[in-house]
Amino acid sequence: MSETDEFSIRIPETNKPRIVLIGGGFGGLEFAKLLSDENVQLVMFDRHNYHTFQPLLYQVATAGLEPDSIASPLRKLFDKKKNFYFRMALVNEIIPEQNTILTSIGKLRYDILVISVGTKTNYFGNQELIKKCFPLKQIPQALDLRSNILQNFEKAVLVNNPDDLNALMNYTVVGGGPTGVELAGALAELKKHILPRDYPELDFKQMNIYLLEGSPRILAAMSEKSSKEAKKYLEDLGVIVRVNTVVESFDGRTVFLKDKSTITSNTLVWAAGVTGNMIPGLAPESIVGRASRLKVDEYNRVAGYKNIYAIGDIAAMITPELPLGHPMVAPVAMQQGRHLAKNFNRIFNKKESPKPFKYFDKGSMATIGRNRAVVDMPKGLHFNGLLAWFVWMFVHLMYLIGFRSKMVVLLNWMYGYFTFDKNTRLIIRPFVKPNNPVIKNPEKARAVSGYDTAV
Amino acid sequence: MSETDEFSIRIPETNKPRIVLIGGGFGGLEFAKLLSDENVQLVMFDRHNYHTFQPLLYQVATAGLEPDSIASPLRKLFDKKKNFYFRMALVNEIIPEQNTILTSIGKLRYDILVISVGTKTNYFGNQELIKKCFPLKQIPQALDLRSNILQNFEKAVLVNNPDDLNALMNYTVVGGGPTGVELAGALAELKKHILPRDYPELDFKQMNIYLLEGSPRILAAMSEKSSKEAKKYLEDLGVIVRVNTVVESFDGRTVFLKDKSTITSNTLVWAAGVTGNMIPGLAPESIVGRASRLKVDEYNRVAGYKNIYAIGDIAAMITPELPLGHPMVAPVAMQQGRHLAKNFNRIFNKKESPKPFKYFDKGSMATIGRNRAVVDMPKGLHFNGLLAWFVWMFVHLMYLIGFRSKMVVLLNWMYGYFTFDKNTRLIIRPFVKPNNPVIKNPEKARAVSGYDTAV
């Protein structure tokens, strides 16, 4: 397999070692930012041409923010680097014995591989859930959920049957982690402030928002205090929170629970777990745990390989103190990305030895509607309410990438705060084909409507 | 056909006359805003749940603005009205003898029908063009064009063949009206300021932007001075402007011109003309002209019908002074919408007679990149350059709907002005399926990538 192979991706061959980075999430981004490309060549792959600020995806899904304000084009972020190449592609396979990756646009040799592919939604192999649930990990998914929510209400004004109405107006969020909690809170605010103004014909007392969590408490990774406060906030907003509740199946209209009860709801958002976005090709010995992560040492090197590293959610740095590795959260990914970049800078620029990774826990937080949030700080410190809400906003704005995005998000938040409005309520998705029996001639209907399918 | 028919759309029957409005464009919006719904019931249909500010679509297509900032949710705009109903649907047919419309969600009786459906892109029946060109009349189309532009460059860094490179890097815009001129200018700015930073591997001297116009001058509806200045501005920016140039066909890679020459270009934006978005069912005698418009009298009443009105681009108010009707531009639509609403207010509230419509021409304008625009005022007044550019921006901001949109657009423009950047460079569209021969197992590839198709 020679380099001049017709299927090779065109990247200049230099005498500098080539580091191939897969994934432009929180970990990959920090790694690429801090890596000095003086003595190495960096090639970055991502399936999107932008970085997604995932913590605010739920606000895109609930019409609070435009997608563009939480996405940063990756090429732009690194346009000052010299030995940097970006390729938008899916990486399909790693062939470690050939130091090569196979991608949707061809193959590429690497000297060092850094895997930062994060996780994907875990449906535990349930094919029905895969087809019928809404996940919330990517911008297209958030846009799809947003369009679905608004389309449900456009349909609700048309139906007569109370059961159909329930199915359209009820929302079920599965998973009581930060995504589920924040989404349920945002849906409750839509119900309270926005939807009744838009759909005065509907009775919003009939709209129920369910948050289902399999374990005994929501926000299980946070303090008991935070769990309790968050549950109270959600219930104040009208969300029906059910813990110790497991979903067995969903047929697109009825949610079947393990306790044999059911919920009528056309929309089920699945935020109940993630699994490693594993790329085939690595030895089974290097993959660990339920969540399918890559076992790494304290230098983030994947077990069994000398030149393959993993950072962020996909990496499980298992130590006696941390038998499950670090929590799968953005701060770990960012710190590992920065640390690995610095280690490479030590090796390639300063001829120093790499240092082991140590996680610095700054705490965690979640927000539940306006004026309400919970914050856990290290050493058992906890606070909540308005101050927590301001801290949540400040931290998210601070970490958001780019001045323009910060400004646009701040503007939207301020506008939303004072007007109780969320303004990006656009339905942009393929049109439901007209199948009403009144229409005798759907071809003609289509010709009249012109171009009406979306992106 | 009774009202309680199972296919009827559920709208309360009252003793007030029901006005059905089809279309939430410039004309429909002004009509709905100004119509007093005290003594009438207003039912509005649109295929989208938002109004599109079409004059800025080209900035969405060229990554300058987020789609949400030029779209206004229609329900929100009218949430203060009492006898107002919105239905998101396509209207497929009018049955004037039964005073009924057939739509994608059922049928509805009307007392008065107001048609404000505007125009659609006119391909003059050329099926090949319909399949392979990019139109630019709707937000999903603008997003599709934006993604296509960015994907072309992601592909360009992969190809070796100079001919493939030309096809990916060249852009052809057909139609020298304001849309074509403004789009070509914005593409030229992308080429000058943005793309070379994002794609340092590519040689942008090889990127050509063609603007093709069939008639002897671009901006043919404006003054000769404006045409001349606009052409000069475009050429200064590197756009190749060809007048008296007619496209015969396009195979997705080569544009075939009537003079037998060709242009290699994968992307052809068709802004060369529009035709009435005609709804079947009206008598052929009421339809006039090449552009398929509805013949209306000076009260905007459609010829041959007592209770059907048409406003905006779809209406041709033919008088001895205006043998082709008014120009098909937003100001005419807005003025007709307002005028018709006032006439109805006169009839239903004040028991007065309606007044005939008179168009007040405020002039026209077009912009070509930063600091450059042309403005024609009534009575032959003309100015251009920096002042015209500020006037263009001010007028567009003023007419944009909603405070939040104005602020977000202003912020984007200011950011873009000072940084020479356009920040909404996201590719959000269905992923091109991997068909590279290196991938032996595309099913596995898909499973690895997770959910990657867009909205």
Side-chain angles (χ1 to χ4, degrees), chain B residues 185 188-189 191-192 232-239 368-369 372:
Chain B
E189 295 221 307
K191 175 187 168 181
K192 199 171 166 189
K232 193 185 153 292
Y233 287 155
L234 284 168
E235 287 171 346
D236 287 351
L237 280 167
V239 176
I368 306 101
R372 285 158 171 158

Side-chain angles (χ1 to χ4, degrees), chain A residues 385-406:
Chain A
L386 188 65
L387 175 65
W389 189 66
F390 275 110
V391 169
W392 182 93
M393 285 198 297
F394 176 75
V395 168
H396 281 77
L397 270 185
M398 206 175 65
Y399 279 104
L400 201 64
I401 289 146
F403 175 73
R404 196 199 66 100
S405 290
K406 286 187 214 295

Side-chain angles (χ1 to χ4, degrees), chain B residues 8 189 229 279 317 390 431:
Chain B
S8 284
E189 295 221 307
E229 279 299 326
I279 303 170
M317 192 180 286
F390 275 110
F431 236 66

Side-chain angles (χ1 to χ4, degrees), chain B residues 54 57-61 121 123 134-139 141-143 145 179-180 183 269-271:
Chain B
Q54 287 188 346
L57 270 180
Y58 82 95
Q59 294 202 6
V60 173
T121 306
Y123 295 102
F134 287 86
L136 193 53
K137 293 274 291 173
Q138 297 181 30
I139 283 179
Q141 295 168 350
L143 290 174
L145 180 55
T179 304
L183 180 69
V269 182
W270 191 261

Side-chain angles (χ1 to χ4, degrees), chain A residues 6-20:
Chain A
E6 58 170 316
F7 300 132
S8 285
I9 301 174
R10 214 159 45 92
I11 303 278
E13 286 288 330
T14 63
N15 55 1
K16 296 181 176 32
R18 175 184 291 162
I19 300 178
V20 169

Side-chain angles (χ1 to χ4, degrees), chain B residues 352-385:
Chain B
E352 287 174 12
S353 302
K355 290 185 179 168
F357 173 74
K358 284 238 157 3
Y359 176 51
F360 174 57
D361 183 5
K362 295 180 194 165
S364 54
M365 53 178 88
T367 183
I368 306 101
R370 58 196 292 131
N371 302 342
R372 285 158 171 158
V374 290
V375 175
D376 285 343
M377 303 272 286
K379 295 178 189 168
L381 282 172
H382 164 92
F383 60 103
N384 56 45

Side-chain angles (χ1 to χ4, degrees), chain A residues 94-308:
Chain A
I94 300 167
I95 309 177
E97 54 275 22
Q98 293 175 348
N99 288 334
T100 295
I101 56 169
L102 305 186
T103 80
S104 55
I105 56 167
K107 62 184 187 187
L108 189 71
R109 185 194 59 77
Y110 60 81
D111 294 302
I112 293 170
L113 184 65
V114 178
I115 302 171
S116 179
V117 290
T119 55
K120 59 183 177 183
T121 306
N122 190 2
Y123 295 101
F124 307 100
N126 187 329
Q127 290 300 320
E128 210 181 21
L129 291 178
I130 295 176
K131 271 187 222 143
K132 296 189 172 143
C133 286
F134 286 86
L136 193 55
K137 295 273 293 170
Q138 297 180 30
I139 283 178
Q141 294 168 350
L143 289 174
D144 207 28
L145 180 55
R146 180 180 81 181
S147 285
N148 172 72
I149 294 171
L150 296 168
Q151 266 182 322
N152 278 348
F153 290 100
E154 292 297 338
K155 284 178 196 159
V157 297
L158 302 174
V159 300
N160 291 305
N161 181 329
D163 212 49
D164 289 346
L165 202 63
N166 275 337
L168 288 165
M169 291 182 74
N170 288 348
Y171 283 79
T172 308
V173 179
V174 182
T179 303
V181 166
E182 295 184 337
L183 180 68
L187 285 170
E189 296 222 306
L190 273 184
K191 176 189 166 180
K192 199 171 165 188
H193 302 299
I194 316 280
L195 295 169
R197 279 193 283 179
D198 267 11
Y199 301 90
E201 303 157 64
L202 297 174
D203 173 13
F204 281 89
K205 285 194 206 87
Q206 293 189 48
M207 178 179 176
N208 292 310
I209 300 155
Y210 298 90
L211 177 65
L212 312 181
E213 165 59 38
S215 82
R217 62 183 176 102
I218 60 168
L219 297 179
M222 293 185 72
S223 66
E224 295 242 7
K225 258 189 193 164
S226 286
S227 296
K228 224 171 137 181
E229 279 299 327
K231 189 161 179 274
K232 193 184 154 293
Y233 288 156
L234 284 168
E235 287 171 347
D236 287 351
L237 281 168
V239 176
I240 301 162
V241 182
R242 291 201 192 155
V243 293
N244 296 313
T245 299
V246 172
V247 172
E248 283 220 313
S249 66
F250 176 56
D251 64 4
R253 185 179 169 103
T254 308
V255 188
F256 297 91
L257 305 176
K258 212 177 175 180
D259 66 8
K260 302 300 164 206
S261 66
T262 59
I263 294 169
T264 301
S265 165
N266 276 355
T267 309
L268 184 70
V269 182
W270 192 260
V274 291
T275 184
N277 213 344
M278 200 55 68
I279 302 169
L282 296 183
E285 302 85 70
S286 52
I287 301 165
V288 288
R290 266 200 327 169
S292 226
R293 296 162 83 188
L294 290 168
K295 197 173 161 185
V296 297
D297 66 14
E298 52 190 354
Y299 302 97
N300 281 95
R301 196 191 317 231
V302 176
Y305 300 99
K306 281 197 167 163
N307 60 346
I308 302 182

